[in-house]
Amino acid sequence: MSDEGELIAAMTELRAAEERVAEALRVFLARDPVTGRPVHGRIGRAAQLTGWGEQRVKETVTPALAERRRAKRKTDES
């Protein structure tokens, strides 16, 4: 296999793994079904487990948050 083909295969596997991690994070950080409130302390723990950092964890679980932040950055840069 060529170096380029190996890189493409590795990136495909990485994207699939990140999707599995994102889905697991959504389950781990789901709101309490009884109260509807977020489970406290889990964002920091999820960041420790994934090594992603709290902001990336939050944006992965809540894509709308990431979009809002991108939009804000775009308006701030203008």
Short mmCIF file of all heavy atoms in Angstrom, two decimals:
data_model
loop_
_atom_site.label_atom_id
_atom_site.label_comp_id
_atom_site.label_asym_id
_atom_site.label_seq_id
_atom_site.Cartn_x
_atom_site.Cartn_y
_atom_site.Cartn_z
N MET A 1 0.86 -1.18 0.00
CA MET A 1 0.00 0.00 0.00
C MET A 1 0.90 1.24 0.00
O MET A 1 1.88 1.31 0.72
CB MET A 1 -0.91 -0.02 1.23
CG MET A 1 -1.88 1.14 1.28
SD MET A 1 -2.91 1.14 2.76
CE MET A 1 -4.28 0.17 2.19
N SER A 2 0.55 2.21 -0.78
CA SER A 2 1.34 3.44 -0.85
C SER A 2 1.15 4.25 0.44
O SER A 2 0.21 4.05 1.20
CB SER A 2 0.91 4.28 -2.05
OG SER A 2 -0.37 4.82 -1.82
N ASP A 3 2.07 5.16 0.65
CA ASP A 3 1.97 6.03 1.84
C ASP A 3 0.68 6.83 1.82
O ASP A 3 0.03 7.00 2.85
CB ASP A 3 3.16 6.98 1.90
CG ASP A 3 4.46 6.26 2.23
OD1 ASP A 3 4.40 5.12 2.73
OD2 ASP A 3 5.54 6.85 2.00
N GLU A 4 0.31 7.33 0.65
CA GLU A 4 -0.91 8.12 0.54
C GLU A 4 -2.15 7.27 0.84
O GLU A 4 -3.05 7.70 1.55
CB GLU A 4 -1.02 8.73 -0.86
CG GLU A 4 -2.18 9.69 -1.00
CD GLU A 4 -2.19 10.36 -2.35
OE1 GLU A 4 -1.12 10.71 -2.86
OE2 GLU A 4 -3.30 10.52 -2.88
N GLY A 5 -2.17 6.07 0.31
CA GLY A 5 -3.29 5.16 0.57
C GLY A 5 -3.40 4.81 2.05
O GLY A 5 -4.48 4.72 2.61
N GLU A 6 -2.25 4.60 2.68
CA GLU A 6 -2.22 4.29 4.11
C GLU A 6 -2.75 5.47 4.92
O GLU A 6 -3.51 5.30 5.88
CB GLU A 6 -0.80 3.95 4.53
CG GLU A 6 -0.69 3.41 5.93
CD GLU A 6 0.72 2.95 6.26
OE1 GLU A 6 1.46 2.56 5.34
OE2 GLU A 6 1.06 3.01 7.44
N LEU A 7 -2.36 6.68 4.52
CA LEU A 7 -2.83 7.88 5.20
C LEU A 7 -4.34 8.04 5.05
O LEU A 7 -5.05 8.34 6.01
CB LEU A 7 -2.11 9.11 4.66
CG LEU A 7 -2.48 10.44 5.29
CD1 LEU A 7 -2.21 10.44 6.78
CD2 LEU A 7 -1.73 11.57 4.61
N ILE A 8 -4.85 7.81 3.86
CA ILE A 8 -6.29 7.92 3.62
C ILE A 8 -7.04 6.89 4.45
O ILE A 8 -8.07 7.20 5.08
CB ILE A 8 -6.60 7.77 2.12
CG1 ILE A 8 -6.08 9.00 1.36
CG2 ILE A 8 -8.09 7.58 1.88
CD1 ILE A 8 -6.10 8.86 -0.15
N ALA A 9 -6.54 5.66 4.51
CA ALA A 9 -7.18 4.61 5.31
C ALA A 9 -7.17 4.98 6.79
O ALA A 9 -8.16 4.79 7.49
CB ALA A 9 -6.48 3.28 5.07
N ALA A 10 -6.05 5.51 7.26
CA ALA A 10 -5.95 5.89 8.67
C ALA A 10 -6.91 7.02 9.00
O ALA A 10 -7.55 7.02 10.07
CB ALA A 10 -4.51 6.30 9.01
N MET A 11 -7.04 7.99 8.11
CA MET A 11 -7.96 9.11 8.34
C MET A 11 -9.41 8.63 8.36
O MET A 11 -10.21 9.10 9.16
CB MET A 11 -7.78 10.19 7.28
CG MET A 11 -6.50 10.99 7.43
SD MET A 11 -6.34 11.77 9.05
CE MET A 11 -7.76 12.84 9.06
N THR A 12 -9.74 7.68 7.51
CA THR A 12 -11.09 7.12 7.50
C THR A 12 -11.39 6.43 8.82
O THR A 12 -12.46 6.62 9.40
CB THR A 12 -11.24 6.13 6.32
OG1 THR A 12 -10.94 6.82 5.11
CG2 THR A 12 -12.65 5.57 6.26
N GLU A 13 -10.44 5.64 9.30
CA GLU A 13 -10.60 4.97 10.59
C GLU A 13 -10.71 5.98 11.73
O GLU A 13 -11.51 5.80 12.65
CB GLU A 13 -9.43 4.03 10.85
CG GLU A 13 -9.40 2.81 9.95
CD GLU A 13 -8.16 1.98 10.16
OE1 GLU A 13 -7.65 1.93 11.31
OE2 GLU A 13 -7.70 1.38 9.18
N LEU A 14 -9.91 7.04 11.67
CA LEU A 14 -9.93 8.07 12.70
C LEU A 14 -11.29 8.77 12.75
O LEU A 14 -11.85 8.98 13.82
CB LEU A 14 -8.83 9.09 12.46
CG LEU A 14 -8.74 10.25 13.45
CD1 LEU A 14 -8.49 9.73 14.87
CD2 LEU A 14 -7.67 11.22 13.04
N ARG A 15 -11.83 9.11 11.60
CA ARG A 15 -13.15 9.76 11.56
C ARG A 15 -14.23 8.85 12.13
O ARG A 15 -15.12 9.31 12.86
CB ARG A 15 -13.49 10.18 10.13
CG ARG A 15 -12.70 11.38 9.69
CD ARG A 15 -13.18 11.91 8.34
NE ARG A 15 -12.28 12.93 7.86
CZ ARG A 15 -11.46 12.79 6.82
NH1 ARG A 15 -11.44 11.66 6.15
NH2 ARG A 15 -10.68 13.78 6.46
N ALA A 16 -14.17 7.57 11.79
CA ALA A 16 -15.15 6.62 12.32
C ALA A 16 -15.02 6.51 13.84
O ALA A 16 -16.03 6.47 14.56
CB ALA A 16 -14.98 5.26 11.66
N ALA A 17 -13.79 6.47 14.33
CA ALA A 17 -13.56 6.38 15.77
C ALA A 17 -14.06 7.65 16.47
O ALA A 17 -14.67 7.57 17.55
CB ALA A 17 -12.08 6.16 16.07
N GLU A 18 -13.83 8.82 15.87
CA GLU A 18 -14.30 10.06 16.47
C GLU A 18 -15.82 10.10 16.53
O GLU A 18 -16.39 10.61 17.49
CB GLU A 18 -13.77 11.28 15.71
CG GLU A 18 -12.32 11.57 16.02
CD GLU A 18 -11.82 12.84 15.35
OE1 GLU A 18 -12.47 13.34 14.40
OE2 GLU A 18 -10.77 13.33 15.79
N GLU A 19 -16.48 9.56 15.53
CA GLU A 19 -17.95 9.50 15.55
C GLU A 19 -18.43 8.60 16.68
O GLU A 19 -19.41 8.91 17.36
CB GLU A 19 -18.50 9.02 14.21
CG GLU A 19 -18.59 10.10 13.18
CD GLU A 19 -19.46 11.27 13.64
OE1 GLU A 19 -20.57 11.06 14.15
OE2 GLU A 19 -18.99 12.42 13.51
N ARG A 20 -17.74 7.48 16.89
CA ARG A 20 -18.12 6.58 18.01
C ARG A 20 -17.90 7.27 19.34
O ARG A 20 -18.73 7.15 20.26
CB ARG A 20 -17.34 5.27 17.93
CG ARG A 20 -17.77 4.38 16.76
CD ARG A 20 -17.21 2.97 16.86
NE ARG A 20 -15.77 2.91 17.03
CZ ARG A 20 -14.88 2.88 16.03
NH1 ARG A 20 -15.29 2.95 14.79
NH2 ARG A 20 -13.59 2.80 16.29
N VAL A 21 -16.80 8.01 19.48
CA VAL A 21 -16.53 8.75 20.72
C VAL A 21 -17.60 9.82 20.92
O VAL A 21 -18.13 10.00 22.03
CB VAL A 21 -15.12 9.38 20.70
CG1 VAL A 21 -14.95 10.36 21.85
CG2 VAL A 21 -14.05 8.31 20.76
N ALA A 22 -17.95 10.53 19.86
CA ALA A 22 -18.97 11.58 19.97
C ALA A 22 -20.31 11.00 20.41
O ALA A 22 -20.99 11.58 21.27
CB ALA A 22 -19.13 12.31 18.63
N GLU A 23 -20.69 9.86 19.86
CA GLU A 23 -21.95 9.23 20.26
C GLU A 23 -21.90 8.80 21.73
O GLU A 23 -22.86 8.99 22.48
CB GLU A 23 -22.27 8.04 19.36
CG GLU A 23 -23.61 7.42 19.62
CD GLU A 23 -24.76 8.42 19.50
OE1 GLU A 23 -24.73 9.30 18.63
OE2 GLU A 23 -25.71 8.32 20.30
N ALA A 24 -20.76 8.23 22.14
CA ALA A 24 -20.62 7.85 23.55
C ALA A 24 -20.68 9.06 24.46
O ALA A 24 -21.27 9.01 25.54
CB ALA A 24 -19.31 7.09 23.75
N LEU A 25 -20.09 10.18 24.03
CA LEU A 25 -20.15 11.41 24.82
C LEU A 25 -21.59 11.90 24.95
O LEU A 25 -21.99 12.36 26.02
CB LEU A 25 -19.30 12.50 24.18
CG LEU A 25 -17.81 12.42 24.40
CD1 LEU A 25 -17.09 13.44 23.55
CD2 LEU A 25 -17.46 12.60 25.87
N ARG A 26 -22.36 11.83 23.87
CA ARG A 26 -23.75 12.29 23.93
C ARG A 26 -24.54 11.47 24.95
O ARG A 26 -25.34 12.03 25.70
CB ARG A 26 -24.39 12.19 22.55
CG ARG A 26 -23.90 13.24 21.60
CD ARG A 26 -24.60 13.18 20.24
NE ARG A 26 -23.84 13.94 19.28
CZ ARG A 26 -23.02 13.44 18.36
NH1 ARG A 26 -22.90 12.14 18.24
NH2 ARG A 26 -22.37 14.22 17.54
N VAL A 27 -24.27 10.18 25.01
CA VAL A 27 -24.95 9.33 26.00
C VAL A 27 -24.45 9.65 27.40
O VAL A 27 -25.24 9.81 28.33
CB VAL A 27 -24.73 7.83 25.66
CG1 VAL A 27 -25.24 6.94 26.78
CG2 VAL A 27 -25.42 7.48 24.35
N PHE A 28 -23.15 9.77 27.57
CA PHE A 28 -22.54 10.03 28.87
C PHE A 28 -22.99 11.37 29.45
O PHE A 28 -23.16 11.51 30.65
CB PHE A 28 -21.01 10.00 28.72
CG PHE A 28 -20.25 10.15 30.01
CD1 PHE A 28 -20.28 9.15 30.98
CD2 PHE A 28 -19.47 11.27 30.25
CE1 PHE A 28 -19.56 9.27 32.16
CE2 PHE A 28 -18.74 11.40 31.43
CZ PHE A 28 -18.79 10.40 32.37
N LEU A 29 -23.18 12.36 28.56
CA LEU A 29 -23.53 13.70 29.02
C LEU A 29 -25.01 14.04 28.85
O LEU A 29 -25.40 15.20 28.99
CB LEU A 29 -22.68 14.74 28.28
CG LEU A 29 -21.18 14.64 28.54
CD1 LEU A 29 -20.42 15.60 27.65
CD2 LEU A 29 -20.86 14.87 30.00
N ALA A 30 -25.82 13.04 28.58
CA ALA A 30 -27.26 13.29 28.41
C ALA A 30 -27.84 13.84 29.71
O ALA A 30 -27.40 13.53 30.81
CB ALA A 30 -27.97 11.99 28.04
N ARG A 31 -28.85 14.67 29.54
CA ARG A 31 -29.52 15.26 30.70
C ARG A 31 -30.25 14.17 31.50
O ARG A 31 -30.67 13.17 30.95
CB ARG A 31 -30.51 16.32 30.25
CG ARG A 31 -29.81 17.52 29.65
CD ARG A 31 -30.81 18.57 29.19
NE ARG A 31 -30.12 19.75 28.73
CZ ARG A 31 -29.84 20.79 29.50
NH1 ARG A 31 -30.19 20.81 30.77
NH2 ARG A 31 -29.21 21.84 29.01
N ASP A 32 -30.39 14.44 32.79
CA ASP A 32 -31.11 13.52 33.66
C ASP A 32 -32.54 13.39 33.15
O ASP A 32 -33.22 14.40 32.97
CB ASP A 32 -31.09 14.06 35.08
CG ASP A 32 -31.77 13.12 36.06
OD1 ASP A 32 -33.01 13.09 36.06
OD2 ASP A 32 -31.05 12.43 36.79
N PRO A 33 -33.03 12.16 32.91
CA PRO A 33 -34.37 12.00 32.35
C PRO A 33 -35.49 12.46 33.28
O PRO A 33 -36.56 12.84 32.82
CB PRO A 33 -34.47 10.50 32.07
CG PRO A 33 -33.41 9.87 32.88
CD PRO A 33 -32.35 10.90 33.10
N VAL A 34 -35.25 12.48 34.58
CA VAL A 34 -36.28 12.87 35.53
C VAL A 34 -36.36 14.39 35.66
O VAL A 34 -37.42 15.00 35.54
CB VAL A 34 -36.03 12.23 36.92
CG1 VAL A 34 -37.04 12.73 37.93
CG2 VAL A 34 -36.07 10.72 36.81
N THR A 35 -35.20 15.02 35.87
CA THR A 35 -35.19 16.46 36.12
C THR A 35 -34.95 17.29 34.86
O THR A 35 -35.27 18.47 34.84
CB THR A 35 -34.09 16.83 37.14
OG1 THR A 35 -32.82 16.52 36.57
CG2 THR A 35 -34.29 16.10 38.45
N GLY A 36 -34.35 16.68 33.84
CA GLY A 36 -34.03 17.42 32.63
C GLY A 36 -32.80 18.29 32.78
O GLY A 36 -32.44 19.04 31.88
N ARG A 37 -32.13 18.19 33.91
CA ARG A 37 -30.94 19.01 34.16
C ARG A 37 -29.68 18.26 33.76
O ARG A 37 -29.66 17.03 33.77
CB ARG A 37 -30.88 19.38 35.64
CG ARG A 37 -32.09 20.20 36.06
CD ARG A 37 -32.06 20.53 37.50
NE ARG A 37 -31.01 21.53 37.72
CZ ARG A 37 -30.59 21.88 38.92
NH1 ARG A 37 -31.10 21.36 39.99
NH2 ARG A 37 -29.65 22.80 39.04
N PRO A 38 -28.62 18.99 33.43
CA PRO A 38 -27.36 18.33 33.06
C PRO A 38 -26.77 17.59 34.25
O PRO A 38 -26.99 17.98 35.40
CB PRO A 38 -26.45 19.46 32.63
CG PRO A 38 -27.21 20.72 32.77
CD PRO A 38 -28.56 20.42 33.33
N VAL A 39 -26.05 16.54 33.97
CA VAL A 39 -25.37 15.79 35.01
C VAL A 39 -24.08 16.53 35.34
O VAL A 39 -23.23 16.73 34.48
CB VAL A 39 -25.06 14.36 34.54
CG1 VAL A 39 -24.39 13.57 35.64
CG2 VAL A 39 -26.34 13.66 34.10
N HIS A 40 -23.94 16.99 36.58
CA HIS A 40 -22.81 17.83 36.96
C HIS A 40 -21.52 17.02 37.07
O HIS A 40 -21.52 15.87 37.46
CB HIS A 40 -23.08 18.52 38.30
CG HIS A 40 -24.20 19.51 38.20
ND1 HIS A 40 -24.04 20.72 37.58
CD2 HIS A 40 -25.49 19.44 38.59
CE1 HIS A 40 -25.19 21.37 37.61
NE2 HIS A 40 -26.09 20.62 38.23
N GLY A 41 -20.42 17.66 36.69
CA GLY A 41 -19.10 17.06 36.82
C GLY A 41 -18.70 16.15 35.69
O GLY A 41 -17.56 15.72 35.62
N ARG A 42 -19.61 15.85 34.79
CA ARG A 42 -19.27 14.89 33.75
C ARG A 42 -18.52 15.49 32.58
O ARG A 42 -17.81 14.79 31.89
CB ARG A 42 -20.52 14.18 33.25
CG ARG A 42 -21.04 13.19 34.27
CD ARG A 42 -21.89 12.17 33.61
NE ARG A 42 -22.23 11.12 34.56
CZ ARG A 42 -22.95 10.09 34.26
NH1 ARG A 42 -23.46 9.96 33.04
NH2 ARG A 42 -23.21 9.16 35.13
N ILE A 43 -18.67 16.79 32.34
CA ILE A 43 -17.95 17.39 31.21
C ILE A 43 -16.45 17.33 31.48
O ILE A 43 -15.67 16.93 30.61
CB ILE A 43 -18.41 18.84 30.96
CG1 ILE A 43 -19.82 18.81 30.38
CG2 ILE A 43 -17.45 19.56 30.02
CD1 ILE A 43 -20.46 20.17 30.20
N GLY A 44 -16.03 17.68 32.68
CA GLY A 44 -14.61 17.60 33.04
C GLY A 44 -14.09 16.18 32.97
O GLY A 44 -12.98 15.93 32.47
N ARG A 45 -14.88 15.24 33.45
CA ARG A 45 -14.47 13.83 33.40
C ARG A 45 -14.37 13.35 31.95
O ARG A 45 -13.42 12.65 31.59
CB ARG A 45 -15.46 12.97 34.19
CG ARG A 45 -15.11 11.52 34.24
CD ARG A 45 -13.83 11.27 35.04
NE ARG A 45 -13.54 9.85 35.06
CZ ARG A 45 -12.32 9.35 34.92
NH1 ARG A 45 -11.29 10.15 34.78
NH2 ARG A 45 -12.12 8.06 34.94
N ALA A 46 -15.32 13.73 31.12
CA ALA A 46 -15.29 13.35 29.71
C ALA A 46 -14.05 13.94 29.03
O ALA A 46 -13.42 13.28 28.21
CB ALA A 46 -16.56 13.82 29.01
N ALA A 47 -13.70 15.16 29.39
CA ALA A 47 -12.49 15.79 28.83
C ALA A 47 -11.24 15.02 29.24
O ALA A 47 -10.34 14.81 28.44
CB ALA A 47 -12.41 17.24 29.26
N GLN A 48 -11.21 14.58 30.50
CA GLN A 48 -10.07 13.80 30.97
C GLN A 48 -9.97 12.47 30.21
O GLN A 48 -8.90 12.05 29.80
CB GLN A 48 -10.18 13.50 32.46
CG GLN A 48 -9.94 14.68 33.35
CD GLN A 48 -10.18 14.32 34.81
OE1 GLN A 48 -10.82 13.32 35.13
NE2 GLN A 48 -9.66 15.15 35.69
N LEU A 49 -11.12 11.81 30.04
CA LEU A 49 -11.12 10.50 29.39
C LEU A 49 -10.74 10.58 27.91
O LEU A 49 -10.02 9.73 27.41
CB LEU A 49 -12.51 9.86 29.51
CG LEU A 49 -12.92 9.42 30.91
CD1 LEU A 49 -14.39 9.03 30.94
CD2 LEU A 49 -12.07 8.25 31.37
N THR A 50 -11.21 11.61 27.22
CA THR A 50 -10.95 11.72 25.79
C THR A 50 -9.67 12.48 25.48
O THR A 50 -9.09 12.30 24.41
CB THR A 50 -12.10 12.45 25.07
OG1 THR A 50 -12.24 13.75 25.63
CG2 THR A 50 -13.40 11.69 25.19
N GLY A 51 -9.25 13.36 26.40
CA GLY A 51 -8.10 14.20 26.14
C GLY A 51 -8.41 15.34 25.18
O GLY A 51 -7.53 15.95 24.62
N TRP A 52 -9.69 15.62 24.97
CA TRP A 52 -10.12 16.61 23.99
C TRP A 52 -10.20 18.02 24.53
O TRP A 52 -10.20 18.96 23.77
CB TRP A 52 -11.49 16.23 23.44
CG TRP A 52 -11.46 15.17 22.42
CD1 TRP A 52 -10.38 14.45 22.00
CD2 TRP A 52 -12.55 14.70 21.66
NE1 TRP A 52 -10.74 13.57 21.05
CE2 TRP A 52 -12.06 13.68 20.81
CE3 TRP A 52 -13.89 15.01 21.62
CZ2 TRP A 52 -12.89 13.00 19.93
CZ3 TRP A 52 -14.70 14.33 20.74
CH2 TRP A 52 -14.21 13.33 19.90
N GLY A 53 -10.35 18.21 25.80
CA GLY A 53 -10.59 19.55 26.33
C GLY A 53 -12.08 19.78 26.48
O GLY A 53 -12.88 19.27 25.70
N GLU A 54 -12.44 20.54 27.49
CA GLU A 54 -13.86 20.72 27.82
C GLU A 54 -14.64 21.40 26.70
O GLU A 54 -15.78 21.03 26.43
CB GLU A 54 -14.01 21.51 29.12
CG GLU A 54 -13.56 20.71 30.32
CD GLU A 54 -13.83 21.41 31.64
OE1 GLU A 54 -14.58 22.40 31.67
OE2 GLU A 54 -13.29 20.94 32.65
N GLN A 55 -14.03 22.38 26.03
CA GLN A 55 -14.77 23.09 24.98
C GLN A 55 -15.09 22.16 23.82
O GLN A 55 -16.20 22.17 23.29
CB GLN A 55 -13.97 24.30 24.48
CG GLN A 55 -14.80 25.25 23.66
CD GLN A 55 -16.00 25.75 24.45
OE1 GLN A 55 -15.88 26.19 25.58
NE2 GLN A 55 -17.17 25.66 23.86
N ARG A 56 -14.15 21.34 23.42
CA ARG A 56 -14.40 20.41 22.31
C ARG A 56 -15.46 19.39 22.71
O ARG A 56 -16.31 19.03 21.89
CB ARG A 56 -13.12 19.71 21.90
CG ARG A 56 -13.33 18.80 20.71
CD ARG A 56 -12.06 18.25 20.17
NE ARG A 56 -12.34 17.37 19.05
CZ ARG A 56 -11.47 16.53 18.55
NH1 ARG A 56 -10.24 16.47 19.03
NH2 ARG A 56 -11.80 15.75 17.54
N VAL A 57 -15.42 18.93 23.95
CA VAL A 57 -16.44 18.00 24.43
C VAL A 57 -17.82 18.64 24.35
O VAL A 57 -18.77 18.06 23.82
CB VAL A 57 -16.14 17.52 25.87
CG1 VAL A 57 -17.33 16.81 26.48
CG2 VAL A 57 -14.92 16.62 25.89
N LYS A 58 -17.94 19.88 24.84
CA LYS A 58 -19.23 20.58 24.82
C LYS A 58 -19.73 20.76 23.39
O LYS A 58 -20.91 20.56 23.11
CB LYS A 58 -19.10 21.96 25.47
CG LYS A 58 -18.92 21.94 26.96
CD LYS A 58 -18.74 23.37 27.45
CE LYS A 58 -18.26 23.45 28.86
NZ LYS A 58 -18.00 24.84 29.27
N GLU A 59 -18.83 21.15 22.50
CA GLU A 59 -19.24 21.39 21.11
C GLU A 59 -19.57 20.09 20.39
O GLU A 59 -20.40 20.08 19.49
CB GLU A 59 -18.15 22.17 20.38
CG GLU A 59 -18.04 23.60 20.86
CD GLU A 59 -16.98 24.40 20.15
OE1 GLU A 59 -16.23 23.83 19.33
OE2 GLU A 59 -16.90 25.61 20.42
N THR A 60 -18.95 19.00 20.78
CA THR A 60 -19.25 17.70 20.17
C THR A 60 -20.63 17.25 20.57
O THR A 60 -21.41 16.75 19.76
CB THR A 60 -18.20 16.65 20.60
OG1 THR A 60 -16.92 17.09 20.13
CG2 THR A 60 -18.53 15.29 20.03
N VAL A 61 -20.96 17.43 21.83
CA VAL A 61 -22.26 17.00 22.35
C VAL A 61 -23.38 17.92 21.86
O VAL A 61 -24.49 17.48 21.60
CB VAL A 61 -22.23 16.93 23.89
CG1 VAL A 61 -23.59 16.64 24.46
CG2 VAL A 61 -21.25 15.86 24.33
N THR A 62 -23.06 19.21 21.73
CA THR A 62 -24.06 20.21 21.33
C THR A 62 -23.56 20.93 20.08
O THR A 62 -22.96 22.01 20.18
CB THR A 62 -24.28 21.23 22.47
OG1 THR A 62 -24.44 20.52 23.69
CG2 THR A 62 -25.50 22.10 22.21
N PRO A 63 -23.79 20.37 18.89
CA PRO A 63 -23.29 21.00 17.66
C PRO A 63 -23.80 22.43 17.47
O PRO A 63 -23.10 23.26 16.89
CB PRO A 63 -23.81 20.09 16.55
CG PRO A 63 -24.03 18.77 17.21
CD PRO A 63 -24.43 19.09 18.62
N ALA A 64 -24.98 22.75 17.98
CA ALA A 64 -25.50 24.11 17.85
C ALA A 64 -24.60 25.10 18.59
O ALA A 64 -24.45 26.25 18.15
CB ALA A 64 -26.92 24.19 18.38
N LEU A 65 -24.00 24.67 19.68
CA LEU A 65 -23.08 25.52 20.42
C LEU A 65 -21.87 25.87 19.56
O LEU A 65 -21.44 27.02 19.50
CB LEU A 65 -22.62 24.82 21.71
CG LEU A 65 -21.57 25.53 22.55
CD1 LEU A 65 -22.11 26.85 23.07
CD2 LEU A 65 -21.13 24.63 23.69
N ALA A 66 -21.35 24.88 18.87
CA ALA A 66 -20.20 25.12 17.98
C ALA A 66 -20.58 26.09 16.87
O ALA A 66 -19.79 26.99 16.55
CB ALA A 66 -19.72 23.79 17.40
N GLU A 67 -21.76 25.94 16.31
CA GLU A 67 -22.20 26.84 15.25
C GLU A 67 -22.35 28.28 15.76
O GLU A 67 -21.95 29.22 15.08
CB GLU A 67 -23.52 26.37 14.65
CG GLU A 67 -23.38 25.10 13.82
CD GLU A 67 -22.41 25.28 12.67
OE1 GLU A 67 -22.44 26.33 12.00
OE2 GLU A 67 -21.60 24.36 12.44
N ARG A 68 -22.93 28.43 16.95
CA ARG A 68 -23.06 29.76 17.54
C ARG A 68 -21.69 30.40 17.76
O ARG A 68 -21.48 31.58 17.49
CB ARG A 68 -23.82 29.71 18.86
CG ARG A 68 -25.31 29.57 18.71
CD ARG A 68 -26.05 29.89 19.99
NE ARG A 68 -25.57 29.15 21.14
CZ ARG A 68 -26.10 28.01 21.59
NH1 ARG A 68 -27.12 27.48 20.97
NH2 ARG A 68 -25.61 27.41 22.65
N ARG A 69 -20.74 29.62 18.27
CA ARG A 69 -19.39 30.15 18.52
C ARG A 69 -18.71 30.55 17.21
O ARG A 69 -18.05 31.58 17.14
CB ARG A 69 -18.55 29.14 19.28
CG ARG A 69 -19.01 28.98 20.71
CD ARG A 69 -18.13 27.98 21.43
NE ARG A 69 -18.63 27.72 22.75
CZ ARG A 69 -18.32 28.47 23.83
NH1 ARG A 69 -17.51 29.48 23.71
NH2 ARG A 69 -18.82 28.17 25.00
N ARG A 70 -18.86 29.72 16.17
CA ARG A 70 -18.27 30.06 14.87
C ARG A 70 -18.88 31.34 14.32
O ARG A 70 -18.17 32.19 13.78
CB ARG A 70 -18.47 28.91 13.87
CG ARG A 70 -17.50 27.80 14.05
CD ARG A 70 -17.58 26.80 12.90
NE ARG A 70 -17.16 25.51 13.39
CZ ARG A 70 -17.97 24.52 13.74
NH1 ARG A 70 -19.26 24.64 13.61
NH2 ARG A 70 -17.50 23.39 14.22
N ALA A 71 -20.20 31.46 14.43
CA ALA A 71 -20.88 32.66 13.94
C ALA A 71 -20.41 33.90 14.71
O ALA A 71 -20.19 34.95 14.11
CB ALA A 71 -22.39 32.49 14.05
N LYS A 72 -20.25 33.76 16.01
CA LYS A 72 -19.80 34.89 16.83
C LYS A 72 -18.38 35.29 16.45
O LYS A 72 -18.08 36.48 16.32
CB LYS A 72 -19.88 34.54 18.31
CG LYS A 72 -19.54 35.71 19.22
CD LYS A 72 -19.78 35.35 20.65
CE LYS A 72 -19.58 36.46 21.62
NZ LYS A 72 -18.71 37.53 21.30
N ARG A 73 -17.52 34.30 16.25
CA ARG A 73 -16.13 34.60 15.85
C ARG A 73 -16.12 35.33 14.49
O ARG A 73 -15.34 36.25 14.30
CB ARG A 73 -15.30 33.32 15.76
CG ARG A 73 -14.74 32.86 17.08
CD ARG A 73 -13.65 31.83 16.91
NE ARG A 73 -14.03 30.67 16.13
CZ ARG A 73 -14.50 29.54 16.65
NH1 ARG A 73 -14.64 29.41 17.95
NH2 ARG A 73 -14.81 28.53 15.88
N LYS A 74 -16.98 34.88 13.61
CA LYS A 74 -17.02 35.47 12.28
C LYS A 74 -17.46 36.94 12.36
O LYS A 74 -16.88 37.80 11.69
CB LYS A 74 -17.99 34.69 11.39
CG LYS A 74 -17.86 35.01 9.93
CD LYS A 74 -18.74 34.09 9.12
CE LYS A 74 -17.86 33.33 8.17
NZ LYS A 74 -18.59 32.45 7.30
N THR A 75 -18.46 37.24 13.20
CA THR A 75 -18.91 38.63 13.34
C THR A 75 -17.88 39.47 14.08
O THR A 75 -17.72 40.64 13.81
CB THR A 75 -20.28 38.73 14.04
OG1 THR A 75 -20.18 38.14 15.33
CG2 THR A 75 -21.36 38.05 13.23
N ASP A 76 -17.16 38.86 15.02
CA ASP A 76 -16.14 39.59 15.77
C ASP A 76 -14.95 39.94 14.88
O ASP A 76 -14.31 40.96 15.07
CB ASP A 76 -15.64 38.77 16.97
CG ASP A 76 -16.69 38.71 18.09
OD1 ASP A 76 -17.66 39.47 18.03
OD2 ASP A 76 -16.51 37.87 19.00
N GLU A 77 -14.66 39.07 13.90
CA GLU A 77 -13.53 39.32 13.00
C GLU A 77 -13.86 40.41 11.99
O GLU A 77 -12.97 41.06 11.47
CB GLU A 77 -13.17 38.04 12.25
CG GLU A 77 -12.54 36.98 13.14
CD GLU A 77 -12.34 35.67 12.42
OE1 GLU A 77 -12.72 35.55 11.25
OE2 GLU A 77 -11.79 34.75 13.04
N SER A 78 -15.11 40.59 11.68
CA SER A 78 -15.52 41.58 10.66
C SER A 78 -15.34 43.00 11.12
O SER A 78 -15.20 43.37 12.20
CB SER A 78 -16.98 41.39 10.29
OG SER A 78 -17.17 40.10 9.78
#
